[in-house]
Amino acid sequence: MKLIVGLGNPGTEYAKTRHNLGFMVVDHIAKLKELEFYERSKFSAEISEFQVGDEKVVLAKPTTFMNDSGQAVQALSHFYKLTHTDTWVVSDDLDLEFGKVRVRIGGSSGGHNGLKSIIDKVGESFVRFRIGIKTNNLAKIGAHDYVLQRFGQAEEEQLPGVIAQTEGLIKKAFAEGVEHTSSSL
């Protein structure tokens, strides 16, 4: 079984912001599979389920704010009795160039509060699909304000391709294993 958690903030005011890129990817997967998310308060998440061959997959979007994402991941991991490498987390990454995707097992939070919360609750050995949102004018804006802004027009035009590329890497990880997907694109 695999748990794929997209990170983001709940609420319409955050729906199209850079920090919600993880939500956008799992929403894309759900749309391709013609799935609906449903609220599961005991997990502090919206979830949806499907099969890949003989393997069950749970898509999840925490209903907590980003800084408490670990609460949902911990509850889901314990309920489904998952190993760390069965937990896949999709998030934005301020240190990667826009559209670049890095897949890794383990590591630090890189200053990402959602990843920090998950590390605090379940440890650091989970799989990360980190999607770049880097900008050159961060000094003018500040990281907190930047990640909560909507994508710029040029980024918005590239976003469907970035989301599809990430979904393709998730498919590749299922087919070939994460260790064969563990590189930057």
Side-chain angles (χ1 to χ4, degrees):
M1 186 186 153
K2 297 286 185 271
L3 169 64
I4 303 174
V5 181
L7 297 187
N9 284 309
T12 55
E13 67 269 29
Y14 300 108
K16 302 265 184 184
T17 63
R18 291 178 178 96
H19 226 17
N20 275 34
L21 196 46
F23 276 10
M24 293 175 200
V25 171
V26 295
D27 283 339
H28 175 75
I29 295 169
K31 184 177 179 183
L32 291 175
K33 301 277 184 194
E34 298 180 356
L35 302 171
E36 298 287 327
F37 282 92
Y38 53 96
E39 176 80 29
R40 291 297 304 264
S41 58
K42 75 177 183 177
F43 299 135
S44 298
E46 293 180 0
I47 67 169
S48 191
E49 300 174 0
F50 65 98
Q51 293 283 132
V52 172
D54 293 337
E55 190 163 29
K56 181 179 182 172
V57 179
V58 175
L59 297 175
K61 297 189 303 184
T63 54
T64 60
F65 282 93
M66 182 69 77
N67 296 353
D68 291 324
S69 298
Q71 180 180 334
V73 174
Q74 182 181 47
L76 287 158
S77 294
H78 285 208
F79 180 81
Y80 289 110
K81 297 173 180 51
L82 299 174
T83 65
H84 292 294
T85 56
D86 289 333
T87 301
W88 297 2
V89 176
V90 183
S91 69
D92 61 289
D93 189 316
L94 200 48
D95 293 328
L96 291 175
E97 293 298 324
F98 177 80
K100 189 172 188 168
V101 182
R102 181 173 290 152
V103 182
R104 288 202 175 139
I105 300 172
S108 74
S109 68
H112 191 288
N113 288 330
L115 294 176
K116 182 182 182 315
S117 175
I118 296 168
I119 290 168
D120 289 347
K121 295 286 188 182
V122 301
E124 65 180 40
S125 300
F126 57 93
V127 178
R128 300 123 195 265
F129 291 80
R130 296 167 63 159
I131 310 165
I133 61 166
K134 187 175 186 176
T135 183
N136 291 332
N137 18 335
L138 191 57
K140 295 177 189 174
I141 302 170
H144 179 266
D145 291 336
Y146 179 74
V147 298
L148 295 178
Q149 287 181 349
R150 296 171 81 83
F151 289 96
Q153 184 177 350
E155 294 168 325
E156 191 76 43
E157 291 170 6
Q158 297 173 49
L159 200 52
V162 171
I163 291 169
Q165 173 188 350
T166 307
E167 182 261 335
L169 286 171
I170 291 170
K171 274 183 165 174
K172 182 178 179 183
F174 270 105
E176 300 175 18
V178 171
E179 62 279 356
H180 298 290
T181 314
S182 300
S183 61
S184 298
L185 293 181

